[in-house]
Amino acid sequence: MNVFRIMLKELKVIRDPKMLLFLVVSPLLTMLILGTALTNAFNGSITVEEINVLYKNNSSSSEFTKYWDDFTGQMRQAGIKLEKADEKTDGKIEVKNNRYSGYVEISDSGLKYYSSSQSLIESDIAKSVLIAFADRYRLAAEVAGTDSKQADAIMTGNGGESYVVEESLNATRKPGAMDYFAIAITTMIILYSALTAAQLIDGERKRNTAVRLLASPVTKIEIFAGKLAGLVVLNLILTMVVVLISKYMFNAYWGENLGLVFLTLFTEIIFAVSLGLGLSYIIKGNSSGTVVMIIIQLAAFLGGSYFPVEEATGFMAALSSLSPLQWSNAALLEMIYANNMSATVNAVLLNIGFAVVLLGIAFTMMRRKEGL
């Protein structure tokens, strides 16, 4: 009950007009400005250059090798270059460094494809044609026992379908400027809650209210838990307000499953609060707020809050992958526009995992410092 009362006390800050201005009006105004000013930048066409895929053929079947060589020639004409790797080359590392859109390992048991997370469109195209080739080869293998000529005809595609079959549930849906910045600005403003969390305990001391809290019949653990829960719930409420206003007033597209959207944003709130609280105990004094602000700005710049970073390569791509905002932004975009839940699961686990570590550090240091 004490935890609940302290949580309600923290929620009373919602009456502060300055707080509402920063946490609600500010992100909505930023969305409106960027979403309107950069509309044309998000309406261009996408050009896919030649797709490079690395492969190793360890199959002992001469028949398969023959079909594979024919397939690589056909794909070269279609703009997909299948390059054979030598024995010393580690294809997985080559793909990880974004030198190739994908890597294929061929054995007698089948094909294993490793896709690049930095070239999603090119990698998905290569994956589609490889699946089509594998399906066609399985069919040809079944037919070969009774009619070898028909098997050859299936593999060469004479009178048959193309390797590439294009199918889309919603081909016209892609993020516009308002759609993109609704996501990017919302995740960025959530990260700013780390600043409030950094002053969560010290703020009571500065307002000379810490003595009254300690004199009350409430344990320090209850105070800690109540203030933490209040800040999380407060930010969740304000985040939901921002999302719903952007959806129904600005027509930003948040997908068909708002429940998973709010779950992803909720875990980011927990991470942001844990980040600020953890750093406030690791770094003493007012300098913790400065460090938190620097982290937020770097995360926003690298995470795509000001401009998309999906096409970043090399060192910039490596830095971008370290930003917590990139985890959340990529997860939301993949879930909303590609119905891909794997990125969402990864982002949720990363947010919760780092939050547990940071809260553990804060709680341990608080016990040592204040004798809990």
Side-chain angles (χ1 to χ4, degrees):
M1 183 60 70
N2 290 330
V3 173
F4 183 71
R5 289 172 180 170
I6 296 172
M7 183 186 75
L8 290 180
K9 170 188 169 293
E10 292 297 315
L11 291 177
K12 290 180 180 180
V13 75
I14 205 169
R15 297 178 299 183
D16 185 354
K18 293 181 180 179
M19 179 67 70
L20 288 176
L21 180 66
F22 178 72
L23 293 177
V24 177
V25 179
S26 175
L28 290 173
L29 187 60
T30 306
M31 286 179 203
L32 185 61
I33 293 172
L34 293 176
T36 303
L38 299 177
T39 298
N40 293 333
F42 282 77
N43 289 336
S45 60
I46 298 176
T47 301
V48 178
E49 302 294 337
E50 185 178 65
I51 301 171
N52 296 312
V53 177
L54 196 65
Y55 75 90
K56 281 185 179 179
N57 185 3
N58 298 320
S59 174
S60 59
S61 171
S62 59
E63 185 180 63
F64 176 87
T65 301
K66 171 192 152 187
Y67 289 143
W68 178 261
D69 292 339
D70 292 340
F71 171 70
T72 58
Q74 294 177 39
M75 289 304 99
R76 186 182 297 274
Q77 295 176 5
I80 301 176
K81 183 181 178 182
L82 292 159
E83 181 180 331
K84 186 175 183 180
D86 56 42
E87 294 299 326
K88 297 180 180 179
T89 302
D90 190 330
K92 298 177 187 177
I93 293 179
E94 295 295 308
V95 170
K96 185 177 181 180
N97 293 332
N98 204 31
R99 295 192 182 97
Y100 293 88
S101 300
Y103 168 59
V104 187
E105 286 185 351
I106 305 169
S107 64
D108 292 333
S109 59
L111 306 181
K112 286 186 179 180
Y113 180 68
Y114 301 88
S115 61
S116 170
S117 60
Q118 301 178 44
S119 304
L120 293 175
I121 295 176
E122 294 84 352
S123 180
D124 285 346
I125 293 173
K127 179 180 177 181
S128 297
V129 297
L130 288 167
I131 291 174
F133 172 80
D135 289 341
R136 183 170 291 185
Y137 179 75
R138 280 196 293 266
L139 176 60
E142 292 294 330
V143 174
T146 57
D147 191 344
S148 59
K149 291 184 179 180
Q150 182 62 29
D152 290 337
I154 291 173
M155 290 307 300
T156 55
N158 293 332
E161 297 178 355
S162 170
Y163 281 111
V164 181
V165 179
E166 184 175 338
E167 182 178 349
S168 177
L169 297 177
N170 192 353
T172 60
R173 174 60 67 179
K174 60 181 181 178
M178 184 61 72
D179 302 322
Y180 177 82
F181 285 111
I183 294 172
I185 299 302
T186 300
T187 56
M188 181 179 70
I189 207 68
I190 286 175
L191 199 58
Y192 271 95
S193 59
L195 283 174
T196 308
Q199 303 299 322
L200 193 63
I201 304 300
D202 287 340
E204 297 290 346
R205 298 190 182 99
K206 292 178 181 178
R207 292 192 299 268
N208 296 319
T209 55
V211 176
R212 284 187 291 174
L213 274 175
L214 295 175
S216 63
V218 183
T219 65
K220 292 181 180 180
I221 294 180
E222 288 176 325
I223 295 172
F224 181 82
K227 292 180 72 65
L228 185 65
L231 187 57
V232 169
V233 173
L234 172 64
N235 281 279
L236 178 61
I237 293 172
L238 295 177
T239 299
M240 293 175 69
V241 171
V242 170
V243 170
L244 293 175
I245 291 177
S246 66
K247 177 179 175 66
Y248 293 108
M249 291 187 64
F250 298 163
N251 293 321
Y253 185 68
W254 284 92
E256 303 299 328
N257 197 334
L258 280 179
L260 284 176
V261 168
F262 286 131
L263 174 62
T264 305
L265 296 176
F266 176 64
T267 60
E268 190 199 344
I269 292 171
I270 295 176
F271 166 76
V273 171
S274 304
L275 176 66
L277 196 60
L279 289 177
S280 70
Y281 279 94
I282 296 172
I283 304 171
K284 308 298 182 182
N286 295 328
S287 57
S288 63
T290 304
V291 173
V292 171
M293 177 60 78
I294 293 173
I295 292 175
I296 292 172
Q297 291 302 321
L298 286 174
F301 178 78
L302 297 172
S305 297
Y306 306 119
F307 51 86
V309 294
E310 288 83 359
E311 297 182 1
T313 58
F315 183 67
M316 188 65 181
L319 286 178
S320 176
S321 65
L322 298 177
S323 171
L325 291 183
Q326 171 64 3
W327 309 336
S328 299
N329 290 341
L332 290 169
L333 288 170
E334 285 286 317
M335 176 177 62
I336 293 170
Y337 293 98
N339 198 29
N340 181 4
M341 300 302 170
S342 61
T344 304
V345 173
N346 291 338
V348 168
L349 292 178
L350 283 171
N351 287 335
I352 295 298
F354 279 106
V356 169
V357 172
L358 290 165
L359 284 177
I361 293 173
F363 186 71
T364 301
M365 297 187 72
M366 184 172 66
R367 291 185 63 183
R368 292 178 179 175
K369 179 181 178 181
E370 302 184 20
L372 287 179

